[in-house]
Amino acid sequence: MAEFGVLDFERPIYEVEQKVAELKKMMEEEGLDLSQKIEELENRADELRREIFSNLDPWQRVQVARHPRRPYTYDFVKLMITDFVEVHGDRLFADDKAILAGFGRLDGQTVCVVGHQKGRTTKENLMRNFGSPHPEGFRKALRIMRIADKFNIPILTFLDSAGAYPGIEAEERGQAEAIAKNIKEMHNLGVPIIINVIGEGGSGGALGIGVGNVVLILSNAYYSVISPEGCAAILWRDRAEAPESSRILRITARDLLKLGVVDEVVQEPLGGAHTDYEASAKALKEAILGHLKPLMKMGRRKLIEHRREHFRKMGYTSENPFDNSVFVDTRTV
Amino acid sequence: MAEKKSRKSSSQKAQQSPKKGFPADLWLKCPKCGETLFKKELGRNFGICEHCNYRFKLSSNERIEMLADEATFKEIDADLTPVDPLAFVDRLKYTDRLKQVQEKTGLTEAIRTGIARMGGHDVALGVMDFQFIGGSMGSVVGEKVTRLFETAMEKKLPVLIVSTSGGARMQEGILSLMQMAKTNAVIAAHDEMGLLFLSICMDPTMAGVMASYASIGDLNIAEPGALMGFAGPRVIKETIRQELPEGFQRTEFMLERGFVDLICERAELREKLILLLDLFLKPKGK
Ligand SMILES: [Zn+2]
């Protein structure tokens, strides 16, 4: 594990791993046999990983979802998709690099890829706007998805954004309209659409490319109507209350599954997706292929109706209540 | 100069108005100019202050009365009420917050939906109410909007939705966000049938509602001066750390940028909507 971005609760694991690295170096340089000690420490690191990562609270999961070393859309594309060709622009205003779009092959089948793209460095983040799209990003996404629709190419979207960008120009160019239109028009595409929440599912900015036949989520990703900080600022006028708001908003993968908002939780490697990109991509790819197969057999009209029906069921009312006792164990009054 | 004058007269009036024998609830003070207004007169003026043009927020009942042919509104799903799927507690339990606002407003939720007549046309009409948790959209609002469109599809009717909302309802979390996808799905289906959808935006229409049904009417109509947008002005200011331009996100700004088809005063709204219904539904003339 590299020092970069180590989270507080990861530090015990990190320290043991550092020790292992030191011993390995010593073994190499001084010819001592330290293999038993190394094995012991590696077991200890595994134990710690299991202890810490099997009991993450919602706020810790948000930290993992935002981990600076978390695999982003393009990392998954590189590991899952062959022959990838990136395409650019909304043909109206600009190319928004907060959205990555293109075509490639998944297990031989041509697919369309659309996803939020965060940057790893400051320079990249300036270009990618931290993965927060402007309206032209949503319009680019729709343009590309319509090409996929024309050629009967299934669509995979990757959600990883803190949210649509809140700025003057974004409003001037119709952020709300761009998102609203995407949400509506994604309901009109006659190809399979699989949504993958890989990191941050930040509200309307996520949903703007988030309407699909199937919604998958990685086990440490989250999906929320408002950022935990934003919610805390409204409820308690204090962004430092984000751990509490991330708990009451029920934004973790497991809670979203209970609420019927996602269809499947894809298990990340024990220490989080950032500890093993390949294993994460493999797990996600398998899940995608599993869902894609039956969808590929549906006709265009059936796919549209299936998708609309999927969202028709969302929400709970007096006629269709939800047993919230599944959450009551974590409730403080 | 003019400002000084109106202040003076307002203080004079303020002294005159709450006379003995007049119940206080007949009068109301304009929050902008301070004039005391007679409620009945204010109602006749569509909730607009005659002195300074301040626009009071209208209730869903007042809107329905203003828009529908007299006594034609037949409400549907009136008894569909919100539940608390997340077991949400902040300073108040969500269930208690709901009870309080239901008692205070006499409303069950932030939208009323039904079938009405307007200028002789049958229409599916939804009217949001800002008094109910800021007109926020949770599962019930999304469900009622969806059912309104479904009813309209069955009866082949146009849909008119009068929106006023701060956005998605935080207390129902992700389920509120999902209502955006639910409503837009049924709008896509209604659209496919070649039916008309008029979106009418009142002050304010923001965030989750603006980023779903309110933005995608065949025509988007708005009252003057209404705040319309995705992110709230405060959030934008905090993000970019600079002042926002004059009139930012107001109706006129939105029309200039191409997101509003027409601006319509409250007093002319009903007539204008009926004219549009005539034009679209009776293309060969009356
Ligand atoms: Zn006034």
Side-chain angles (χ1 to χ4, degrees), chain B residues 25-221:
Chain B
D25 65 353
L26 288 181
W27 300 89
L28 176 66
K29 206 167 187 163
C30 172
K32 192 176 167 198
C33 71
E35 292 279 345
T36 302
L37 307 167
F38 189 43
K39 272 191 182 173
K40 233 182 196 161
E41 218 145 273
L42 184 64
R44 262 187 300 242
N45 203 29
F46 301 93
I48 297 173
C49 172
E50 57 184 316
H51 306 282
C52 73
N53 275 336
Y54 176 80
R55 290 153 188 288
F56 287 82
K57 288 193 171 56
L58 297 181
S59 70
S60 43
N61 283 337
E62 288 168 320
R63 293 273 182 208
I64 291 164
E65 250 171 61
M66 264 175 55
L67 293 176
D69 294 353
E70 210 180 331
T72 60
F73 182 73
K74 289 191 188 67
E75 190 162 1
I76 54 175
D77 299 314
D79 46 9
L80 196 66
T81 52
V83 293
D84 176 26
L86 306 189
F88 196 95
V89 184
D90 50 274
R91 282 163 303 179
L92 262 181
K93 282 186 184 179
Y94 178 43
T95 47
D96 290 341
R97 190 180 295 277
L98 286 169
K99 242 177 265 158
Q100 280 184 6
V101 71
Q102 282 164 343
E103 270 166 33
K104 196 180 140 214
T105 62
L107 299 165
T108 51
E109 251 296 354
I111 191 167
R112 297 185 65 199
T113 52
I115 304 298
R117 289 180 79 79
M118 281 180 69
H121 296 283
D122 287 325
V123 298
L125 177 65
V127 181
M128 300 189 76
D129 200 310
F130 199 79
Q131 301 171 80
F132 199 98
I133 319 187
S136 55
M137 170 163 66
S139 297
V140 171
V141 170
E143 183 67 24
K144 286 174 88 167
V145 168
T146 304
R147 291 188 190 181
L148 184 67
F149 275 92
E150 286 169 346
T151 306
M153 285 161 67
E154 266 167 47
K155 300 179 189 285
K156 305 228 174 2
L157 297 180
V159 175
L160 283 73
I161 296 192
V162 181
S163 295
T164 172
S165 173
R169 186 172 300 163
M170 211 165 49
Q171 291 86 348
E172 291 183 35
I174 190 74
L175 298 166
S176 301
L177 190 76
M178 291 301 126
Q179 303 312 307
M180 297 164 66
K182 182 161 97 182
T183 55
N184 283 17
V186 76
I187 292 171
H190 183 260
D191 190 28
E192 265 172 2
M193 290 180 71
L195 298 169
L196 178 68
F197 168 34
L198 299 178
S199 168
I200 302 125
C201 295
M202 299 295 151
D203 183 46
T205 304
M206 298 297 292
V209 167
M210 197 62 196
S212 58
Y213 54 85
S215 274
I216 53 169
D218 289 304
L219 296 176
N220 297 334
I221 300 148

